[in-house]
Amino acid sequence: MSGYDIKKIVDVGLSHFWNENYGQIYPTLDRLVRDGLASKKPDRNSGKRQRFVYTITSAGKKSLNDWVKAATDAPVVRNEVLLKFFLCSHASTGKCIRLIESHQMEQRAILSEYQASEAILKNAMQGGDMGEDLQAILTITGSTPKQRAKQLRAFYLTLRHGIRAIEGRLAWCEEALASLECSDTTAAE
Amino acid sequence: MSGYDIKKIVDVGLSHFWNENYGQIYPTLDRLVRDGLASKKPDRNSGKRQRFVYTITSAGKKSLNDWVKAATDAPVVRNEVLLKFFLCSHASTGKCIRLIESHQMEQRAILSEYQASEAILKNAMQGGDMGEDLQAILTITGSTPKQRAKQLRAFYLTLRHGIRAIEGRLAWCEEALASLECSDTTAAE
DNA sequence: TCAGACATGTAAGTCGTTACATGATTCA
DNA sequence: TGAATCATGTAACGACTTACATGTCTGA
């Protein structure tokens, strides 16, 4: 596919666990071609602006396979909300509570969005109508019905991961608020 | 406290949600001093190598407070395991299953560690004995018993956040494995 | 005709990690 | 005496973001 296609798929379908920008994508695709892991072909489709379609080579497939099999190094966790919470805790309990409540509201909003996407995906998996965005990215990738079914499940399961993560955060908010509220709340500002 | 102290607290107490390295810490402390948000004082304690103790200024407190109150921008999520999973899904179901099982084992191992820390913290919060590491970092910071209790709770609650996150991931592993195993597993390699 | 999607790319700058360099003290 | 801990810092590199630059086609 093209660099533009990659960006679109990531933005529309994988945004809950990945992101990319053109400043990374195009130089990386160039590098892959230089290293013989992908090939670049011009593809002038129906009078549109010239685009370049990249195809994985057999060396690229091997490399991809090696990467998948290799151990995944532990992600660098940096949770700014928790850092704020930690740095607040020595001071005012009230500040901590407000911090968590605000975080809770944000997480609830994101959960709603994810649940809406989940409903669309569930429907699509049962052969129902899918939204325009989903339709568009499925058109870019898999062609056979079986491949499409696999892709839909992959989108669905990664989304479920995002939902589980948010549910965990919301459960923590409840727990933390309960713990903070049963301590002295007299500390001012 | 000193740059070294900061590193120690982050490594020992906040490693489940934050990390810092000296390459960031020392230049940042310098910048804070230049900006008038902290002051630097030499502190030669008991013949040890010269160390520098940094103290927050009133301008620094204001700045810190502003930062805490400001909206926290959504963290950039990049989950390599999910990316591998997604890129595998179009190919072999077996590969996906192995990927998740390996992830599951790692998460279980981390959960055990966190639960061990949780037990120590719970014990310490009830006035019991705390480990050497915890003792050491509590010595660096809070002095009054009330402040220590607050700090212990902060360590405990942020750890609970980490535990909730891992539990969520493990629940997802179960769910994903169930979904993958009930599909055709005949796909080779 | 004008906004918005399609499409590719570069440049500058920030952020973060790793490795290096240095040197004192303590304890086995 | 030699490893571990205490302690501070720099340099080089790599990853990532943001803003910019350019231009086409489509549909309201």
Coordinates of all heavy atoms in Angstrom, one line a residue, chain A residues 86, chain B residues 3-20 22 25 113-114 116-118 120-121 130-141 151-152 154-156 158-159, chain D residues 5-6:
Chain A
F86 N 0.9 11.4 42.4 CA 1.9 11.2 43.3 C 2.5 12.4 43.9 O 2.7 12.5 45.1 CB 3.0 10.3 42.7 CG 4.1 10.0 43.6 CD1 4.0 8.9 44.5 CD2 5.3 10.7 43.7 CE1 4.9 8.6 45.4 CE2 6.3 10.3 44.6 CZ 6.1 9.3 45.5
Chain B
G3 N 19.9 15.0 42.5 CA 19.6 14.3 41.3 C 19.6 12.8 41.5 O 18.8 12.0 41.0
Y4 N 20.6 12.4 42.3 CA 20.7 10.9 42.6 C 19.5 10.4 43.4 O 19.0 9.3 43.1 CB 22.0 10.8 43.4 CG 22.5 9.3 43.5 CD1 23.2 8.7 42.5 CD2 22.1 8.6 44.7 CE1 23.7 7.4 42.7 CE2 22.6 7.3 44.8 CZ 23.3 6.7 43.8 OH 23.7 5.4 43.9
D5 N 19.1 11.2 44.3 CA 17.9 10.8 45.1 C 16.7 10.7 44.2 O 15.9 9.7 44.4 CB 17.6 11.9 46.2 CG 18.6 11.9 47.3 OD1 19.3 10.9 47.5 OD2 18.8 12.9 48.0
I6 N 16.5 11.6 43.3 CA 15.4 11.6 42.4 C 15.3 10.3 41.6 O 14.3 9.6 41.6 CB 15.4 12.8 41.4 CG1 15.1 14.1 42.2 CG2 14.4 12.6 40.3 CD1 15.3 15.4 41.4
K7 N 16.5 10.0 41.1 CA 16.6 8.7 40.3 C 16.3 7.5 41.1 O 15.6 6.6 40.7 CB 18.1 8.6 39.8 CG 18.4 7.3 39.1 CD 18.1 7.4 37.6 CE 18.8 6.2 36.9 NZ 17.8 5.3 36.4
K8 N 16.7 7.5 42.4 CA 16.5 6.4 43.2 C 15.0 6.2 43.5 O 14.4 5.1 43.5 CB 17.2 6.6 44.5 CG 17.4 5.3 45.3 CD 18.3 5.6 46.5 CE 18.7 4.3 47.3 NZ 19.4 4.7 48.5
I9 N 14.3 7.3 43.9 CA 12.9 7.2 44.2 C 12.1 6.8 43.0 O 11.2 5.9 43.1 CB 12.4 8.6 44.7 CG1 13.0 8.9 46.0 CG2 10.9 8.7 44.7 CD1 12.6 10.3 46.6
V10 N 12.5 7.3 41.8 CA 11.7 6.9 40.6 C 12.0 5.4 40.3 O 11.0 4.6 40.1 CB 12.2 7.7 39.4 CG1 11.6 7.2 38.1 CG2 11.7 9.2 39.6
D11 N 13.2 5.0 40.4 CA 13.5 3.5 40.1 C 12.9 2.6 41.1 O 12.4 1.5 40.7 CB 15.0 3.3 40.2 CG 15.7 3.8 38.9 OD1 15.0 4.2 38.0 OD2 17.0 3.8 38.9
V12 N 13.0 2.9 42.4 CA 12.5 2.0 43.4 C 11.0 2.1 43.6 O 10.3 1.1 43.7 CB 13.2 2.3 44.8 CG1 12.6 1.4 45.9 CG2 14.7 2.0 44.6
G13 N 10.5 3.3 43.6 CA 9.0 3.5 44.0 C 8.1 3.7 42.9 O 6.9 3.4 43.0
L14 N 8.5 4.3 41.7 CA 7.6 4.7 40.7 C 7.8 4.0 39.4 O 7.2 4.3 38.4 CB 7.7 6.2 40.4 CG 7.8 7.2 41.7 CD1 7.9 8.6 41.2 CD2 6.7 7.0 42.6
S15 N 8.6 2.9 39.4 CA 9.0 2.3 38.2 C 7.8 1.7 37.4 O 8.0 1.5 36.2 CB 10.1 1.2 38.4 OG 9.5 0.2 39.3
H16 N 6.7 1.4 38.1 CA 5.6 0.9 37.3 C 4.8 1.9 36.5 O 3.9 1.6 35.8 CB 4.6 0.2 38.3 CG 4.4 0.8 39.6 ND1 3.3 1.6 39.9 CD2 5.2 0.8 40.7 CE1 3.4 2.1 41.1 NE2 4.5 1.6 41.6
F17 N 5.2 3.2 36.7 CA 4.5 4.2 35.9 C 5.4 5.4 35.5 O 5.0 6.3 34.8 CB 3.2 4.8 36.5 CG 3.5 5.7 37.7 CD1 3.7 7.1 37.5 CD2 3.6 5.2 39.0 CE1 3.9 7.9 38.5 CE2 3.8 6.1 40.1 CZ 4.0 7.4 39.8
W18 N 6.7 5.3 35.8 CA 7.6 6.4 35.4 C 9.0 5.9 35.3 O 9.4 4.9 35.9 CB 7.5 7.6 36.3 CG 7.9 8.9 35.7 CD1 9.1 9.5 35.7 CD2 7.1 9.7 34.8 NE1 9.0 10.7 34.9 CE2 7.8 10.8 34.3 CE3 5.7 9.6 34.3 CZ2 7.3 11.7 33.5 CZ3 5.2 10.5 33.5 CH2 6.0 11.6 33.1
N19 N 9.9 6.6 34.6 CA 11.3 6.4 34.6 C 12.0 7.6 34.2 O 11.5 8.5 33.6 CB 11.6 5.3 33.6 CG 11.5 5.8 32.2 OD1 12.5 6.3 31.6 ND2 10.3 5.7 31.6
E20 N 13.2 7.8 34.8 CA 14.1 8.9 34.4 C 15.5 8.4 34.3 O 15.9 7.4 34.9 CB 14.0 10.0 35.5 CG 12.8 10.9 35.5 CD 12.5 11.6 34.2 OE1 13.4 11.7 33.3 OE2 11.4 12.1 34.0
Y22 N 19.8 9.9 34.2 CA 20.6 11.0 34.5 C 20.8 12.0 33.4 O 20.9 13.2 33.6 CB 22.0 10.5 35.0 CG 22.0 9.8 36.3 CD1 22.5 8.5 36.4 CD2 21.3 10.3 37.4 CE1 22.4 7.8 37.6 CE2 21.3 9.6 38.6 CZ 21.8 8.3 38.7 OH 21.8 7.6 39.8
I25 N 17.8 14.1 34.0 CA 17.7 14.7 35.4 C 18.6 15.9 35.6 O 18.2 17.0 35.9 CB 18.0 13.7 36.5 CG1 16.8 12.6 36.5 CG2 18.1 14.3 37.8 CD1 17.1 11.4 37.4
E113 N 5.3 -9.9 41.0 CA 6.2 -8.9 41.6 C 5.4 -7.8 42.3 O 5.7 -7.4 43.4 CB 7.1 -8.3 40.5 CG 8.3 -9.2 40.1 CD 9.0 -8.6 38.9 OE1 9.2 -7.3 38.9 OE2 9.4 -9.3 38.0
Y114 N 4.5 -7.3 41.5 CA 3.7 -6.2 42.0 C 2.9 -6.6 43.3 O 2.8 -5.8 44.3 CB 2.6 -5.7 41.0 CG 3.2 -4.9 39.9 CD1 4.6 -4.7 39.7 CD2 2.4 -4.2 39.0 CE1 5.1 -4.0 38.7 CE2 2.9 -3.5 37.9 CZ 4.3 -3.3 37.8 OH 4.8 -2.6 36.8
A116 N 3.9 -8.8 45.4 CA 4.8 -8.9 46.5 C 5.1 -7.4 47.1 O 5.0 -7.3 48.3 CB 6.1 -9.4 46.0
S117 N 5.2 -6.4 46.2 CA 5.4 -5.1 46.7 C 4.1 -4.6 47.4 O 4.2 -3.9 48.4 CB 5.6 -4.1 45.5 OG 6.7 -4.5 44.8
E118 N 3.0 -5.0 46.9 CA 1.7 -4.6 47.5 C 1.7 -5.1 49.0 O 1.3 -4.4 49.9 CB 0.5 -5.2 46.7 CG -0.8 -4.7 47.1 CD -2.0 -5.4 46.5 OE1 -1.7 -6.5 45.9 OE2 -3.1 -5.0 46.6
I120 N 4.1 -5.8 51.0 CA 5.1 -5.0 51.8 C 4.5 -3.7 52.2 O 4.5 -3.3 53.3 CB 6.4 -4.8 51.0 CG1 7.2 -6.1 50.9 CG2 7.3 -3.8 51.8 CD1 8.4 -6.0 50.0
L121 N 3.8 -3.0 51.2 CA 3.3 -1.7 51.4 C 2.1 -1.8 52.4 O 1.9 -1.0 53.3 CB 2.8 -1.1 50.1 CG 3.9 -0.4 49.3 CD1 3.4 0.0 47.9 CD2 4.4 0.9 50.0
M130 N 8.9 -2.4 57.0 CA 9.0 -2.2 55.5 C 10.4 -2.7 55.1 O 11.3 -2.7 55.9 CB 8.8 -0.8 55.2 CG 9.7 0.2 56.0 SD 9.2 1.9 55.7 CE 7.9 2.2 56.9
G131 N 10.5 -3.0 53.8 CA 11.9 -3.4 53.3 C 12.9 -2.3 53.4 O 12.6 -1.1 53.7
E132 N 14.1 -2.6 53.1 CA 15.2 -1.6 53.2 C 15.0 -0.5 52.1 O 15.2 0.6 52.4 CB 16.5 -2.3 52.8 CG 17.1 -3.1 54.0 CD 18.4 -3.9 53.6 OE1 19.2 -3.3 52.8 OE2 18.4 -5.1 53.9
D133 N 14.7 -0.9 50.9 CA 14.5 0.0 49.8 C 13.5 1.1 50.2 O 13.7 2.3 50.0 CB 14.1 -0.7 48.5 CG 15.2 -1.5 47.9 OD1 16.4 -1.2 48.3 OD2 14.9 -2.3 47.0
L134 N 12.3 0.6 50.7 CA 11.2 1.5 51.0 C 11.6 2.4 52.1 O 11.4 3.6 52.1 CB 10.0 0.7 51.4 CG 8.7 1.4 51.6 CD1 8.3 2.3 50.4 CD2 7.6 0.5 52.0
Q135 N 12.3 1.8 53.1 CA 12.8 2.6 54.3 C 13.7 3.7 53.8 O 13.6 4.9 54.2 CB 13.6 1.6 55.2 CG 14.1 2.3 56.4 CD 13.0 2.5 57.5 OE1 12.4 1.5 57.9 NE2 12.7 3.7 57.8
A136 N 14.6 3.4 52.8 CA 15.6 4.3 52.3 C 14.9 5.5 51.6 O 15.2 6.7 51.8 CB 16.5 3.6 51.3
I137 N 13.9 5.2 50.8 CA 13.3 6.3 50.0 C 12.3 7.1 50.9 O 12.2 8.3 50.7 CB 12.6 5.9 48.7 CG1 11.5 4.9 49.0 CG2 13.6 5.4 47.7 CD1 10.7 4.6 47.7
L138 N 11.8 6.5 52.0 CA 11.0 7.3 52.9 C 11.8 8.2 53.7 O 11.4 9.3 54.1 CB 10.1 6.4 53.8 CG 8.8 5.9 53.2 CD1 8.0 5.2 54.3 CD2 8.0 7.0 52.6
T139 N 13.1 7.8 53.9 CA 14.0 8.7 54.7 C 14.4 9.9 53.9 O 14.5 11.0 54.5 CB 15.3 7.9 55.0 OG1 14.9 6.7 55.7 CG2 16.3 8.7 55.9
I140 N 14.5 9.8 52.6 CA 14.8 10.9 51.7 C 13.7 12.0 51.8 O 14.0 13.1 51.9 CB 15.0 10.5 50.2 CG1 16.2 9.6 50.1 CG2 15.1 11.7 49.3 CD1 16.3 8.9 48.7
T141 N 12.5 11.5 51.8 CA 11.3 12.5 51.7 C 10.7 12.8 53.1 O 11.4 13.2 54.0 CB 10.3 12.0 50.7 OG1 9.9 10.7 51.1 CG2 10.8 12.0 49.3
Q151 N 2.6 9.4 52.1 CA 3.5 8.9 51.1 C 3.3 7.4 50.8 O 3.2 7.0 49.7 CB 4.9 9.1 51.5 CG 5.3 10.6 51.6 CD 6.3 11.0 50.6 OE1 7.4 10.6 50.7 NE2 5.9 11.9 49.8
L152 N 3.1 6.7 51.9 CA 2.9 5.2 51.8 C 1.6 5.0 51.0 O 1.6 4.1 50.1 CB 2.8 4.6 53.2 CG 4.1 4.3 53.9 CD1 3.9 3.7 55.3 CD2 4.9 3.3 53.1
A154 N 0.3 6.9 48.8 CA 0.5 7.3 47.4 C 1.2 6.2 46.7 O 0.9 5.8 45.6 CB 1.3 8.6 47.3
F155 N 2.3 5.6 47.3 CA 3.0 4.5 46.7 C 2.0 3.3 46.5 O 1.9 2.7 45.5 CB 4.1 4.0 47.6 CG 5.3 4.8 47.5 CD1 5.9 5.5 48.6 CD2 6.0 5.0 46.3 CE1 7.0 6.3 48.5 CE2 7.2 5.7 46.1 CZ 7.6 6.4 47.3
Y156 N 1.2 3.1 47.5 CA 0.2 2.0 47.5 C -0.8 2.2 46.3 O -1.0 1.3 45.5 CB -0.5 1.8 48.8 CG -1.6 0.8 48.8 CD1 -1.3 -0.6 48.8 CD2 -2.9 1.1 48.8 CE1 -2.3 -1.5 48.8 CE2 -3.9 0.2 48.7 CZ -3.6 -1.2 48.8 OH -4.6 -2.1 48.7
T158 N -0.7 4.1 43.6 CA -0.1 4.0 42.3 C 0.2 2.6 41.9 O 0.0 2.2 40.8 CB 1.1 4.9 42.1 OG1 2.1 4.6 43.1 CG2 0.8 6.4 42.2
L159 N 0.6 1.8 42.9 CA 0.9 0.4 42.6 C -0.4 -0.3 42.3 O -0.5 -1.1 41.4 CB 1.6 -0.2 43.8 CG 1.9 -1.7 43.7 CD1 2.9 -2.0 42.5 CD2 2.5 -2.3 45.0
Chain D
dT5 P 25.1 -2.4 45.0 OP1 24.0 -3.1 45.6 OP2 25.1 -2.2 43.5 O5' 25.2 -0.9 45.6 C5' 25.6 -0.8 47.0 C4' 26.0 0.7 47.2 O4' 27.3 1.0 46.6 C3' 25.0 1.7 46.6 O3' 24.6 2.6 47.6 C2' 25.9 2.4 45.5 C1' 27.3 2.3 46.1 N1 28.4 2.4 45.2 C2 29.5 3.3 45.6 O2 29.5 3.9 46.6 N3 30.5 3.4 44.7 C4 30.6 2.8 43.4 O4 31.5 3.0 42.7 C5 29.5 1.9 43.1 C7 29.5 1.2 41.8 C6 28.4 1.8 44.0
dC6 P 23.6 3.8 47.4 OP1 22.8 3.9 48.6 OP2 23.0 3.6 46.1 O5' 24.6 5.0 47.3 C5' 25.4 5.4 48.5 C4' 26.2 6.6 48.1 O4' 27.2 6.1 47.1 C3' 25.5 7.7 47.5 O3' 25.8 8.9 48.2 C2' 25.9 7.8 46.1 C1' 27.3 7.1 46.1 N1 27.7 6.5 44.9 C2 29.0 6.9 44.3 O2 29.7 7.8 44.9 N3 29.4 6.4 43.1 C4 28.6 5.5 42.5 N4 29.1 5.0 41.4 C5 27.4 5.1 43.1 C6 27.0 5.6 44.2

